[in-house]
Amino acid sequence: MENSKEITIYDIARSLELHPSTVSKALSGDPAISKKTKKRILETAAEMGYRSNLFARNLRQQNSLTIGVIAYELNSSFTTPMLSGIETVANEAGYGIILTDSSRSSQKEAANAQNLFQRRVDGMIVVLAPETDSFEHFRPFIERRIPMIFLDTEAPFPESMSVMIDNFQCGLMVTRHLLGQGCRRIVHLTPDHQQSIYGQRYKGYREALEEQNIVFEDGLLVVAGGSEEASEKAAKKYFR
């Protein structure tokens, strides 16, 4: 039967007839251990199947070297490259990420936040679910002074940060472009024109219309769900 016992530094020390503290220092890269001894220890550790208990070590050092990420969907033209960038930069800094998907549900978002808090992440990056209207599930992070960054939305806490684009300019520029192409009846399709980021895009749209003295038509504002499927369904219904 295959031995499933976890190999420890004491097993390596007995095998090499060294003191456990010497093995521990070598495995942690302590320069006080000679290169020759360190090489012997690392080779033996690999042969015996030793696995470093990073969680226990980091717990003693009061950090986990992990960043929690909550996104409302993982497979989209917006989130996929963003998540790739987060992982690349985190890895370069020696951090791992724990990625969670709220599936556009504020309830699942809250459950993910609690799970990440229990895992003692060192920081949080959040893309809020469209339906989120309460931020209390993030308060434990704020109280513990765990850094939080909210993407594409205004930070709900003074202690947190936001990374956003200029949504007003986006709405303004895209509407100006269509007007420049000769369009005069331009539909504004949005998940919610009252919510912060969508509201700013809507204001940009209205501003562009006013610049050309075009009277806004209530029927040209179409409010649909935030998913691609919901937007496509709303557009087909409007234009059929």
Side-chain angles (χ1 to χ4, degrees), residues 33 39 41-42 57 89 125 150 159 166 170 185 211:
I33 306 301
K39 185 173 184 293
I41 292 172
L42 292 176
R57 183 193 304 172
V89 174
I125 299 175
F150 291 85
E159 302 89 340
D166 190 331
C170 288
R185 300 188 72 246
E211 289 177 350

Side-chain angles (χ1 to χ4, degrees), residues 94-114:
Y95 283 74
I97 68 170
I98 302 177
L99 178 60
T100 64
D101 178 9
S102 69
S103 301
R104 296 180 172 271
S105 164
S106 58
Q107 185 175 3
K108 189 175 180 182
E109 177 183 278
N112 289 342
Q114 183 179 22

Side-chain angles (χ1 to χ4, degrees), residues 4 8 18 24 33 45 79 104 106 122 128 130 143 158 177 209-210 213:
S4 60
T8 69
L18 295 171
S24 177
I33 306 301
T79 55
R104 296 180 172 271
S106 58
D122 294 326
L128 291 173
E143 292 174 349
H177 173 74
L209 294 181
E210 291 175 8
N213 296 316

Side-chain angles (χ1 to χ4, degrees), residues 67-71 82 86 123-127 147-151:
I67 297 173
V69 180
I70 301 178
M82 176 191 68
I86 290 173
M124 284 283 287
I125 299 175
V126 181
V127 185
M148 297 197 70
I149 298 176
F150 291 85
L151 302 183

Side-chain angles (χ1 to χ4, degrees), residues 210-237:
E210 291 175 8
E211 289 177 350
Q212 298 296 319
N213 296 316
I214 296 176
V215 178
F216 169 72
E217 300 178 38
D218 290 338
L220 296 182
L221 174 63
V222 180
V223 179
S227 68
E228 184 176 341
E229 293 78 13
S231 298
E232 184 177 351
K233 183 178 180 180
K236 286 181 177 178
K237 181 179 179 181

Side-chain angles (χ1 to χ4, degrees), residues 17-190:
E17 297 183 350
L18 295 171
H19 195 279
S21 65
T22 303
V23 175
S24 177
K25 290 178 180 178
L27 293 173
S28 63
D30 193 322
I33 306 301
S34 70
K35 291 182 179 180
K36 182 179 179 180
T37 301
K38 186 181 297 183
K39 185 173 184 293
R40 286 180 59 212
I41 292 172
L42 292 176
E43 288 177 348
T44 302
E47 290 172 1
M48 296 179 68
Y50 172 75
R51 296 188 301 173
S52 174
N53 192 341
L54 289 176
F55 179 78
R57 183 193 304 172
N58 293 336
L59 194 59
R60 290 193 296 270
Q61 297 173 352
Q62 298 298 306
N63 59 46
S64 64
L65 293 180
T66 56
I67 297 173
V69 180
I70 301 178
Y72 62 74
E73 61 181 347
L74 302 183
N75 185 21
S76 76
S77 59
F78 171 67
T79 55
T80 301
M82 176 191 68
L83 295 173
S84 177
I86 290 173
E87 184 172 32
T88 297
V89 174
N91 287 343
E92 289 174 352
Y95 283 74
I97 68 170
I98 302 177
L99 178 60
T100 64
D101 178 9
S102 69
S103 301
R104 296 180 172 271
S105 164
S106 58
Q107 185 175 3
K108 189 175 180 182
E109 177 183 278
N112 289 342
Q114 183 179 22
N115 180 37
L116 291 170
F117 183 75
Q118 294 299 326
R119 286 173 175 262
R120 298 173 177 265
V121 295
D122 294 326
M124 284 283 287
I125 299 175
V126 181
V127 185
L128 291 173
E131 66 178 51
T132 297
D133 56 7
S134 172
F135 307 100
E136 287 305 301
H137 46 287
F138 295 119
R139 190 165 294 282
F141 297 94
I142 299 300
E143 292 174 349
R144 290 293 183 91
R145 297 184 179 180
I146 298 171
M148 297 197 70
I149 298 176
F150 291 85
L151 302 183
D152 205 33
T153 190
E154 293 181 6
F157 303 102
E159 302 89 340
S160 59
M161 297 179 61
S162 294
V163 176
M164 300 176 63
I165 61 173
D166 190 331
N167 286 283
F168 174 81
Q169 284 296 325
C170 288
L172 183 68
M173 290 171 64
V174 72
T175 309
R176 281 175 175 172
H177 173 74
L178 292 175
L179 291 169
Q181 299 298 308
C183 302
R184 287 296 177 266
R185 300 188 72 246
I186 300 172
V187 173
H188 186 77
L189 181 62
T190 178

